[in-house]
Amino acid sequence: IVGIDFVSTPFDAAAVDFLDPLMPFYKIASADLTNTPLLRQVAAKGKPVLLSTGASTLGEIDGAVQTLRAAGCRDLVLLHCVLNYPTPNAQAHLRMLQGLQRAYPDLVLGYSDHTLPDEAMTALTTAHLLGAAVIEKHFTHDKTLPGNDHYHAMDVHDLRRFVQRMDLVHELLGAGSCKQPTPTEAPARANARRSIVLARDVAAGQMLQEADLTYKRPGTGVSPLHWDEVIGRCAAVALEADHVLQWHDLAAESAAPAVPAVRLPA
């Protein structure tokens, strides 16, 4: 057992019924996107459906989605597809995946590819990065065989490279989408960032002015984020030039100018 399911695309009512016990899901070709009776028959089987959208408008896709849902389809994948065999790279229009994402944010998207494979499997990799969670690509053991499918299909060597490329892509993508420091960046946060550093000697009790301060590595002292908070504070002890400022180097309160006593008239 290698984990490969059998799937065949039905093109008529008899094929839909014949294939039903043999497949875990249905694939509907782009040519049948407007075939209402076929769509209804497939949806009534209650299985997931992959719908190719080659040569179709958004209005036609809307109609097919509504027909499938009304007839019982609960799990639907839309495949961006261009009905050119083969599809030149300039006609792949992979950005249409983004349009499908905007139009159908609740659906899983995929890509049915007819471009000629290159060494980097660029079309499939790019489609995946643009949101295609399902990839459909013709497969052959011999690209020289006659017919309309073999010459633009992937072979075992293409498939191996694509799997390796996907492993690399997902390694690069990582696990989280929320921007935050990673554990491996902790040394860089401590050493590459700046701290407030004294630009000259400061006496105990002296109020710090901007001219007394500069910023240098490492980031193990008071961050320049607190620059405005430090200015106006007094040094708790005498400090030498180039000292990396720490919060305990500062007096508890900012110095305030003395307010002379005013005698009020009796």
Side-chain angles (χ1 to χ4, degrees), residues 66-78:
Q66 292 172 15
T67 297
L68 288 166
R69 283 176 167 169
C73 177
R74 296 293 174 263
D75 297 306
L76 176 61
V77 176
L78 295 183

Side-chain angles (χ1 to χ4, degrees), residues 11-260:
F11 289 97
D12 55 46
V16 173
D17 290 335
F18 175 79
L19 292 170
D20 184 38
L22 306 176
M23 308 191 307
F25 63 90
Y26 279 93
K27 160 70 192 306
I28 297 176
S30 299
D32 281 315
L33 183 136
T34 56
N35 189 344
T36 298
L38 184 74
L39 295 178
R40 287 174 176 164
Q41 184 184 4
V42 168
K45 300 298 183 181
K47 294 182 177 180
V49 174
L50 274 62
L51 176 64
S52 277
T53 61
S56 61
T57 67
L58 275 179
E60 290 169 339
I61 297 172
D62 281 341
V65 170
Q66 292 172 15
T67 297
L68 288 166
R69 283 176 167 169
C73 177
R74 296 293 174 263
D75 297 306
L76 176 61
V77 176
L78 295 183
L79 302 180
H80 167 55
C81 177
V82 174
L83 284 187
N84 292 336
Y85 295 87
T87 300
N89 288 340
Q91 296 176 14
H93 300 301
L94 293 179
R95 282 200 182 99
M96 288 187 180
L97 278 162
Q98 296 173 316
L100 288 175
Q101 283 180 324
R102 291 190 296 270
Y104 307 99
D106 58 326
L107 294 184
V108 175
L109 299 184
Y111 174 51
S112 179
D113 181 52
H114 302 136
T115 65
L116 296 174
D118 60 9
E119 285 295 317
M121 302 302 289
T122 306
L124 299 186
T125 303
T126 303
H128 180 62
L129 290 173
L130 287 174
V134 175
I135 295 294
E136 181 188 41
K137 180 68 177 174
H138 294 205
F139 183 86
T140 183
H141 290 294
D142 185 354
K143 295 183 182 183
T144 66
L145 290 173
N148 198 38
D149 296 315
H150 295 281
Y151 64 95
H152 63 82
M154 69 161 66
D155 60 17
V156 64
H157 306 293
D158 298 322
L159 181 57
R160 181 180 296 111
R161 291 199 310 276
F162 177 57
V163 171
Q164 292 170 344
R165 182 56 58 108
M166 285 295 95
D167 288 342
L168 173 60
V169 164
H170 282 278
E171 182 180 15
L172 291 168
L173 290 175
S177 59
C178 178
K179 177 61 181 175
Q180 59 184 335
T182 67
T184 59
E185 291 179 302
R189 283 178 63 86
N191 297 304
R193 290 190 172 185
R194 273 64 170 169
S195 298
I196 298 177
V197 173
L198 294 183
R200 54 194 179 192
D201 293 348
V202 170
Q206 179 178 334
M207 181 189 293
L208 297 177
Q209 302 177 37
E210 192 158 20
D212 298 320
L213 308 175
T214 186
Y215 43 87
K216 296 182 181 181
R217 288 175 172 172
T220 54
V222 178
S223 169
L225 278 172
H226 303 290
W227 187 266
D228 293 338
E229 298 173 51
V230 169
I231 294 173
R233 296 281 292 272
C234 291
V237 294
L239 302 170
E240 295 182 350
D242 222 31
H243 174 74
V244 178
L245 193 67
Q246 308 293 327
W247 285 112
H248 60 73
D249 294 327
L250 303 175
E253 296 180 359
S254 300
V259 179

